[in-house]
Amino acid sequence: MLYDLVIKNGTMVTSGDQGRLDIGIKDGVIAALAPSIDPELATEVIDAQGGYVTPGGVDAHVHLAQEFNSGPSGGAGMCADDFESGSRSAICGGTTTLIAFAMQNRGDSSLLQVVEDYHAEAMKTGSYCDWAYHVIISRPDMQMLKAELPVLVDQWGITSVKLFMTYAALQLSDYQLLDVMYEARKLSITTMIHAENGDLITWLTGRRLLLTHLTVEKLEEKGMIDPGYHAESRPPIVETEATSRAIVLAEMIQNPILFVHVGSATAAKVIRDTQSRGYPVYAETCPQYLHLTWEDLASSPTALKRFHSPQCFENSKMICSPPPGPGKSDQEALWTGLRNGTFTIYSSDHCPFRYNDVRGKAVGVLEHAASMADVTCPIDNEHVQEIVHGKTGHFKYVPNGCPGVETRLPLLFNYGVERGRITVERFVELTSTAPAKMYGLYPKKGALLPGLSDADLVIWYPPGRLDEFSLTNEHLHHDTDYTPYEGMRFGNWPRYTISKGKVVWKEGALLGSPAAGKYLKRAASQFTKAAVESIASDPARVATWLYQ
Ligand code: URP
Ligand code: ZN
Ligand code: ZN
């Protein structure tokens, strides 16, 4: 047969075009696009019945099989998903490529060892889809950077690093940020920045001093420690200041950077202004910033109304950093940023911690034993399980992050494309094509180019074909015991997910296998490599002599 699979009668969409084209697939690769392909030439045929056919999602920001110590001194949470369950959840929501984080802890002197160990974790379970790694650097010894970064690029195809400006266990000083950015620039490594001012957060949260007359009345002293107050410890200026500072550092040494999980309208504005004067700054936002706020409106689904209500541990489900913005106007500003190009990519930041688990959100109760006495949650909710029932906790010990790898594409399709906020082409660009280009996977991923692109595809339901439904956690395939998007309405969902030519998800049935995914070595970013070569230097901002 000429084709293993032909998809007929779909509206094929790329980041630039759409059209009624049939798609022929052979040996896991896109083989042909044509107005009509003879079904007799194919072993298998799928009738898309007029639904959109989009490239499979590339989720460039997921945390899997990762222990994450996000409190200042708090116990570490363990991600609920490993590569098997995380990738299973991904394909059921239309994502066919994942980039996860191999994380260096301060005790790890070798990044190569970190990557080898993390890779062993991934290989233990396998993955339902292809995957790659970024590396988190928390101990940037110069000798190690010089010796190991080139090996990471050459042998592992790891061409991106993430640096933190907050979290005691991960925070780098400005000096250290410059050290890494400088080495990264030489190797065309993309520098991803978690921009929050860690000192500001620690100060606002407060430390109890022995000499009480020296105590400033901060959140802890005021007893404002329940999970709902997490956002108070990180008002938007915390992210905005760090974003501005990182831009100054990057520009000084001419290193293009990408801001991950941008949550506030004001940080987005700083990024937009910098882009407008021509400096290459890239940015990512995530579903939690488009759909959650400090205080959701009464018309929102019930789960979201709980966010930020005091004295209820259930708010810990929504704790992520940066936190979502205070109100609806922040969300609208981020939607604008998705439309006008401020945001290059849209990722999930899937960082799943079970609610009812001693290694999950409940760390925030257990690490804060004092809170276990006397305080009761005012919400009488049967979902509040034994570990945390009737308890409060301290937000600073709660592992940060929300699950979302499976809901990423459906949320943007339903609330972006179907509600007219973005075009379907922009949807493809944000969810697939741009992340593939950003992280050196294009055109194997993120495109539908005959002979060049893997046959990773999503076929959506034609309009009106799927009955609208309210999401519950039972719909999802992660190993997490909640979704922040409980109760939200969906009128479309990936009908089929196809990974390297194989149907892995079909109308609610999981068909894939964790043996199918392969590790991807990546090339340099197509965006930042070009940018480094074309940056114009302003001696008022740039150490122009550095490269002379
Ligand atoms: O709260 C978040 N975003 N948790 C995930 C870890 C990170 O910083 O990406
Ligand atoms: Zn982060
Ligand atoms: Zn993250």
Side-chain angles (χ1 to χ4, degrees):
M1 284 289 185
L2 196 50
Y3 303 112
D4 301 323
L5 174 63
V6 163
I7 300 163
K8 290 196 67 67
N9 306 320
T11 300
M12 186 220 63
V13 189
T14 68
S15 61
D17 301 289
Q18 60 169 287
R20 282 287 180 141
L21 289 173
D22 292 351
I23 302 174
I25 294 163
K26 182 73 182 167
D27 296 332
V29 172
I30 303 290
L33 303 174
S36 180
I37 297 179
D38 182 354
E40 297 295 318
L41 299 175
T43 310
E44 189 188 344
V45 176
I46 296 176
D47 184 353
Q49 299 175 321
Y52 284 126
V53 184
T54 57
V58 176
D59 194 341
H61 190 148
V62 296
H63 301 268
L64 302 173
Q66 189 184 322
E67 196 174 44
F68 196 76
N69 187 349
S70 45
S73 55
M78 186 67 205
C79 283
D81 285 310
D82 57 17
F83 277 83
E84 178 175 354
S85 63
S87 62
R88 179 180 70 213
S89 187
I91 60 170
C92 299
T95 287
T96 48
T97 304
L98 296 173
I99 313 183
F101 292 87
M103 184 165 82
Q104 180 192 38
N105 291 305
R106 292 260 162 81
D108 299 322
S109 55
S110 164
L111 288 178
L112 287 171
Q113 192 61 52
V114 165
V115 170
E116 279 163 25
D117 292 348
Y118 193 54
H119 192 55
E121 278 301 313
M123 296 305 285
K124 233 193 264 174
T125 59
S127 168
Y128 283 85
C129 63
D130 289 351
W131 80 95
Y133 308 126
H134 311 287
V135 166
I136 292 171
I137 299 178
S138 64
R139 177 177 160 178
D141 304 337
M142 280 310 269
Q143 266 186 337
M144 178 274 293
L145 292 179
K146 283 184 191 302
E148 295 197 348
L149 286 181
V151 184
L152 287 181
V153 172
D154 291 345
Q155 285 183 15
W156 285 93
I158 294 178
T159 53
S160 46
V161 295
K162 182 178 175 192
L163 311 179
F164 284 78
M165 299 172 80
T166 186
Y167 296 137
L170 301 168
Q171 183 176 341
L172 301 189
S173 66
D174 291 358
Y175 193 101
Q176 291 173 315
L177 290 167
L178 286 164
D179 269 352
V180 184
M181 285 186 201
Y182 186 70
E183 290 306 311
R185 183 196 192 279
K186 287 189 210 161
L187 297 165
S188 297
I189 288 174
T190 304
T191 310
M192 308 157 78
I193 305 283
H194 178 131
E196 286 184 291
N197 183 325
D199 291 358
L200 195 37
I201 294 167
T202 306
W203 194 91
L204 288 172
T205 303
R207 277 199 205 107
R208 284 186 192 281
L209 301 178
L210 286 176
L211 297 169
T212 45
H213 65 278
L214 289 181
T215 303
V216 181
E217 290 281 299
K218 300 187 238 154
L219 288 171
E220 284 185 340
E221 285 74 37
K222 288 178 184 296
M224 295 164 74
I225 58 168
D226 310 299
Y229 291 113
H230 173 263
E232 302 279 9
S233 70
R234 293 152 167 83
I237 192 68
V238 166
E239 184 187 11
T240 308
E241 186 282 333
T243 303
S244 306
R245 182 157 41 98
I247 289 170
V248 170
L249 302 181
E251 192 166 0
M252 180 67 68
I253 64 170
Q254 299 285 276
N255 182 46
I257 50 177
L258 175 130
F259 289 99
V260 290
H261 48 51
V262 174
S264 70
T266 43
K269 180 168 180 344
V270 167
I271 292 165
R272 181 73 176 161
D273 290 348
T274 308
Q275 292 166 338
S276 297
R277 63 179 175 78
Y279 190 76
V281 176
Y282 303 92
E284 165 196 89
T285 194
C286 313
Q288 48 274 37
Y289 304 115
L290 301 169
H291 299 287
L292 306 178
T293 66
W294 284 16
E295 293 174 274
D296 270 277
L297 302 175
S299 58
S300 295
T302 51
L304 304 187
K305 270 193 282 179
R306 290 193 295 259
F307 186 53
H308 202 64
S309 72
Q311 292 196 333
C312 178
F313 192 72
E314 208 158 4
N315 289 307
S316 66
K317 290 177 175 177
M318 312 295 179
I319 286 186
C320 58
S321 292
K328 289 283 170 198
S329 63
D330 297 84
Q331 294 180 346
E332 284 313 316
L334 299 184
W335 280 108
T336 301
L338 285 178
R339 272 193 297 277
N340 71 15
T342 306
F343 294 110
T344 320
I345 62 173
Y346 162 87
S347 313
S348 68
D349 192 6
H350 179 77
C351 193
F353 296 103
R354 273 183 222 107
Y355 177 61
N356 189 38
D357 189 332
V358 290
R359 301 297 311 279
K361 296 288 185 181
V363 167
V365 170
L366 303 176
E367 286 285 307
H368 186 63
S371 73
M372 296 180 74
D374 299 335
V375 187
T376 50
C377 173
I379 296 177
D380 183 19
N381 188 330
E382 77 247 23
H383 300 305
V384 181
Q385 306 282 320
E386 307 89 63
I387 293 176
V388 292
H389 185 63
K391 311 288 193 314
T392 182
H394 191 324
F395 65 77
K396 82 177 184 185
Y397 299 111
V398 173
N400 285 198
C402 299
V405 70
E406 189 166 347
T407 40
R408 180 183 74 116
L409 257 57
L411 279 169
L412 194 63
F413 194 88
N414 282 271
Y415 288 84
V417 177
E418 301 226 316
R419 283 169 175 67
R421 285 170 157 144
I422 57 169
T423 63
V424 67
E425 290 88 348
R426 182 75 179 133
F427 167 86
V428 170
E429 185 171 24
L430 286 162
T431 58
S432 180
T433 310
K437 288 180 176 173
M438 189 77 225
Y439 294 114
L441 291 168
Y442 183 90
K444 180 178 173 64
K445 304 294 183 185
L448 301 178
L449 294 176
L452 299 178
S453 302
D454 283 353
D456 292 352
L457 297 157
V458 177
I459 305 176
W460 297 86
Y461 285 93
R465 175 66 193 256
L466 183 70
D467 289 339
E468 196 176 89
F469 68 97
S470 289
L471 186 75
T472 70
N473 197 47
E474 284 66 48
H475 287 111
L476 302 175
H477 300 78
H478 54 201
D479 264 352
T480 317
D481 56 0
Y482 77 96
T483 167
Y485 311 109
E486 182 93 20
M488 287 185 73
R489 306 283 296 167
F490 289 83
N492 212 329
W493 197 270
R495 184 180 188 183
Y496 296 83
T497 305
I498 295 167
S499 175
K500 296 182 287 188
K502 299 268 181 302
V503 177
V504 293
W505 166 255
K506 180 183 173 185
E507 296 177 330
L510 174 69
L511 304 176
S513 145
K518 295 275 176 294
Y519 176 73
L520 297 165
K521 282 178 78 172
R522 295 182 288 121
S525 169
Q526 292 195 349
F527 291 152
T528 61
K529 194 164 178 7
V532 168
E533 282 151 16
S534 64
I535 293 172
S537 303
D538 170 1
R541 294 175 172 273
V542 180
T544 46
W545 47 267
L546 262 175
Y547 304 103
Q548 284 160 7

